[in-house]
Amino acid sequence: MALQITAARPDPALLDLPWELPLESWPEKHLAALPRGISRHVVRFVKLSGRVLAVKEIKADIAAREYQMLRMLNRLDLPCVVPFGVVSGRETPDGSPLDACLITRHLQFSLPYRALFSQSLRPDTSTRLIDALAVLLVRLHLVGFWWGDVSLSNTLFRRDAGAFAAYLVDAETGELHQSLTAGQREHDLDIARVNIAGELMDLEAGGFLEAGVDPVDTSNRIVTRYTDLWTELTGLERFESGDRWRVDERIRRLNELGFDVDELAISTDIGGTTIQIQPKVVDAGHHSRRLLRLTGLDVEENQARRLLNDLDSYRADTDRQNDDEEIVAHDWLSKIYEPITRTVPRDLAGKLEPAELFHEVLEHRWYLSERAGRDIPIEDAIRDYVSTVLPSKPDEATVVGVDTVEMPVLAMFEDTADDDPRPAPRHQA
């Protein structure tokens, strides 16, 4: 059988990789040392033409289906890894068939949850990860995507101005529908709750979970967070006709949550005394779209919110509230944001992505000002941050030295894995 490569933009360098070898036997010279999650499949990161790709060895039909599903999710502008291609028709030199490989682009500055817990993190890390996963699940459900294997393991996380942003990395079991029933959504939530409890128990057994955290109670949080957000985004609201201001209030609440309202259904009763409203089409990314329009910066939602707040402060400090917003934004970008982010030495540039760095510098400036009892210029804050804080942070552009596959897993799950009909958490990265 001839080697077959399916890709939207195939790279000829793919032909240089040792496809005739099982993925687990690939030479080190082709591999990138990045953290891997627990997986029922063999997963490796490879270096190719200046980029890092994730390669997962699976059956050809599953690889083709997941590749197409990830392409559809990307077209819908959902947070997930970008598919690169599928390689099938693989054979060993003696003619023995090998499984196909699904290739995706590595998401820079992202980490699997186990690698995050191997670092020194804030005590509320587990709840912040679950909050991010709840937002991701709501976004997927809004477009009719049933995941079927929701877990921390099947998600990558990027820092987002003190919070996390979650990205789907495994769509093997996913299904895309016109819309989801309540039963389908509840099924996904139930899968999430069970999987997350098991993953947190794994961390607890290895001594990586923060003290005092109950894995089961924490896993139940995703149901609460999901339900609250889903209700706010889709729930029906009734009020008296004299309270029309509540229409604008509902839209502002959704904007604060990071969603734009593209379609809002408004109706009245027969007498016109009662009005009911219900969002019909909501779109995530309210703040990031505004920042992109003003500055060209494409960042996470909470990062955008923080940068926009600093832009508003700059506008007030320079007494330019009446100037054109786009002109002020251009000046802020060239005089504040870019000089600050460019201050970082080249050898430290991989520690944090620029928007997250800027957020941390603003936090550092606040601490310095509080300690000094006066306002500290941001230029002084970045110099102090680069010399005292940044060098001790891990390099998150391409994190090395943490092989999360070797972290302990509870024996109870290992012993029953073959008998458990529930899909086990997988991580493709």
Side-chain angles (χ1 to χ4, degrees), residues 49 52 59 77 112 121 140 150 189 242 245 285 323 327 366 396:
S49 302
V52 177
K59 298 297 182 183
D77 198 27
L121 297 171
L140 293 172
V150 189
L189 276 174
W245 55 270
D323 288 4
I327 295 175
W366 183 86
E396 294 190 355

Side-chain angles (χ1 to χ4, degrees), residues 12 15 38 103 121 149 164 184 239 247 251 336 339 351 378 401:
L15 297 171
I38 292 176
I103 309 171
L121 297 171
D149 196 8
F164 288 102
Q184 287 173 314
F239 47 86
V247 176
I251 294 173
I336 303 295
K351 298 286 187 179
I378 194 168

Side-chain angles (χ1 to χ4, degrees), residues 263-282:
E263 185 178 323
L264 184 70
I266 303 179
S267 60
T268 65
D269 62 3
I270 296 177
T273 59
T274 303
I275 297 174
Q276 65 179 27
I277 60 173
Q278 184 174 27
K280 290 296 184 182
V281 181
V282 292

Side-chain angles (χ1 to χ4, degrees), residues 10 19-20 54 58 84 95 150 163 209 217 250 269 322 411:
W19 300 113
E20 72 281 1
I58 51 177
F84 190 81
V150 189
L209 192 64
D217 288 345
R250 179 70 175 273
D269 62 3
N322 296 324

Side-chain angles (χ1 to χ4, degrees), residues 52-274:
V52 177
L53 302 174
V55 182
K56 177 170 70 171
E57 199 170 51
I58 51 177
K59 298 297 182 183
D61 57 334
I62 300 176
R65 181 184 180 279
E66 187 171 5
Y67 173 72
Q68 294 300 332
M69 183 63 72
L70 287 172
R71 292 194 70 187
M72 285 190 284
L73 294 178
N74 272 271
R75 291 192 193 104
L76 292 169
D77 198 27
L78 291 166
C80 62
V81 292
V82 178
F84 190 81
V86 174
V87 178
S88 56
R90 300 171 62 218
E91 292 183 345
T92 63
D94 63 6
S96 300
L98 293 171
D99 281 342
C101 286
L102 172 68
I103 309 171
T104 58
R105 295 179 185 269
H106 171 61
L107 184 64
Q108 267 204 320
F109 295 101
S110 67
L111 290 170
Y113 81 102
R114 285 176 169 268
L116 280 167
F117 276 99
S118 72
Q119 304 173 7
S120 297
L121 297 171
R122 282 166 40 181
D124 60 348
T125 294
S126 57
T127 57
R128 288 186 295 144
L129 292 180
I130 289 172
D131 288 351
L133 184 55
V135 173
L136 173 62
L137 191 57
V138 166
R139 292 187 61 180
L140 293 172
H141 284 179
L142 284 171
V143 301
F145 181 78
W146 181 78
W147 196 340
D149 196 8
V150 189
S151 67
L152 296 172
S153 296
N154 288 337
T155 312
L156 283 175
F157 296 92
R158 297 176 75 175
R159 297 186 190 278
D160 185 15
F164 288 102
Y167 286 76
L168 177 146
V169 295
D170 192 312
E172 267 186 53
T173 57
E175 299 173 2
L176 197 57
H177 302 269
Q178 190 68 31
S179 61
L180 295 182
T181 65
Q184 287 173 314
R185 295 190 296 105
E186 289 169 5
H187 188 194
D188 249 357
L189 276 174
D190 193 49
I191 292 170
R193 184 177 53 79
V194 173
N195 281 347
I196 291 170
E199 290 165 328
L200 295 180
M201 288 177 187
D202 291 347
L203 292 173
E204 186 178 48
F208 292 98
L209 192 64
E210 57 260 40
V213 173
D214 183 284
V216 175
D217 288 345
T218 304
S219 70
N220 288 331
R221 180 182 175 88
I222 192 169
V223 178
T224 304
R225 293 291 294 162
Y226 173 96
T227 303
D228 290 347
L229 182 55
W230 184 266
T231 301
E232 187 64 58
L233 293 177
T234 66
L236 185 69
E237 185 175 353
R238 292 184 175 88
F239 47 86
E240 299 299 317
S241 59
D243 293 334
R244 296 181 183 179
W245 55 270
R246 291 178 64 175
V247 176
D248 288 335
E249 182 192 48
R250 179 70 175 273
I251 294 173
R252 279 196 297 270
R253 289 205 311 267
L254 294 177
N255 291 164
E256 279 299 306
L257 290 170
F259 289 80
D260 284 325
V261 181
D262 290 339
E263 185 178 323
L264 184 70
I266 303 179
S267 60
T268 65
D269 62 3
I270 296 177
T273 59
T274 303

